[in-house]
Amino acid sequence: MDKATAVANPNIAFIKYWGKAHEALNLPANPSLSMNLAGLTTVTTVEFRPGLAADSVVIDGEPAQDQARQRVVAHLDRVRALARTDRRALVASRNDFPAGTGLASSASAFAALTLAAGRAAGLVLDEGALSRLARRASGSACRSVVGGFALWEGDGDETSFARQVAPPSFWELRDLVAIVGREHKGVGSQQGHALAASSPLNAARLEAVPGLLALALDAVRARDLSALGPVVEADALAMHGVMMTSWPSLLYWLPATVAVLRAVRAWREEGLDVFFTLDAGPNVHCLCEAARADEAERRLRRLPGVLDVLASGPGGGVRLVDYDLF
Ligand code: PMV
């Protein structure tokens, strides 16, 4: 079988990965903890075909351009090297959520590409090996390989991959993503990571991470949102503080981003337990228990500047499906 199709979900980090310890190997400056997001999906089909002169990469119906194409081809090269083949590939990929707006589309994209390409090339990789391979293409992709709640740690190339902390069924947490901007972000996380070290706040954030991570892990294991939420907000703000104070500075927030952050805190004062986090984009991920999700979503939709709300909960790991996109 030279063709395979895989489905993956993006993930939202509770403790963020921002900055690299090793650029080429994609080793992170700090460990991170995330939840996969059910219902938001990337589907990717890969077929290695004899006689093709070059890889063909189609994303959401359009031929991939420049950097996006190069990243896919570079990852196919890693798979080809492992499988000892020089066959070129046909790749088609489809997202059902907006790319490039802080919804971690590279995480689901490279998790799905890793499994589809690996299987199409005849590789048999266990979850750790898949996660490690996905990491090379996009750090956060290593967490999307694993279902549910995932911890990415480990210092070296061999040991740096994500492991499951708890399966999706463990906790009925909800992530309501308030969409306040749909434009592709100006500076993607690939360039952003390289700027982290230029911020005077970076060292302070990295020093705080181990303590916050330990608290976040305990809170996830205890299904305790009131313990998890403040930690998640603290690290999201610390990461955006690093971004804003990098040189050059990265400012992902829109006016409506700030409006959502303030509203979430005001609702908490009123007794509605919701906590926020953000990736490298303007959209705000609002975490709450399933029982509070309808009320929180209603309130989010009423806020000026909120264009849409995507409701999600804990999702599964990357998996093969028996249809294809060709
Ligand atoms: O995996 P990358 O290189 O796209 O970086 C992800 C960076 C953040 O989304 C901002 C944080 C994270 O840990 O997901």
Side-chain angles (χ1 to χ4, degrees), residues 29-42:
N30 67 275
S32 54
L33 173 68
S34 64
M35 177 178 91
N36 270 9
L37 297 176
L40 309 176
T41 57
T42 300

Side-chain angles (χ1 to χ4, degrees), residues 11 13 15-18 32 71 104 106 138-141 143 189-190 193 239 243 279-280:
N11 64 78
I15 298 294
K16 308 293 185 183
Y17 146 55
W18 194 246
S32 54
R71 282 182 77 185
S106 71
S138 165
S140 56
R143 299 187 312 237
S189 45
Q190 286 309 296
H193 287 293
M239 180 183 73
M243 291 164 164
D279 279 343

Side-chain angles (χ1 to χ4, degrees), residues 129-165:
L130 270 177
S131 174
R132 191 178 150 238
L133 181 55
R135 184 203 85 220
R136 297 291 307 277
S138 165
S140 56
C142 82
R143 299 187 312 237
S144 276
V145 166
V146 179
F149 301 84
L151 171 65
W152 172 22
E153 59 179 359
D155 290 334
D157 180 34
E158 298 287 328
T159 53
S160 178
F161 55 87
R163 294 142 178 105
Q164 189 175 74
V165 173

Side-chain angles (χ1 to χ4, degrees), residues 144-214:
S144 276
V145 166
V146 179
F149 301 84
L151 171 65
W152 172 22
E153 59 179 359
D155 290 334
D157 180 34
E158 298 287 328
T159 53
S160 178
F161 55 87
R163 294 142 178 105
Q164 189 175 74
V165 173
S169 59
F170 179 72
W171 192 7
E172 283 282 297
L173 200 59
R174 289 287 172 269
D175 180 7
L176 306 173
V177 194
I179 306 293
V180 300
R182 288 206 168 92
E183 272 164 45
H184 218 278
K185 58 196 172 202
V187 177
S189 45
Q190 286 309 296
Q191 295 112 287
H193 287 293
L195 297 177
S198 70
S199 162
L201 304 187
N202 192 48
R205 174 182 174 260
L206 292 178
E207 210 175 306
V209 161
L212 292 179
L213 178 62

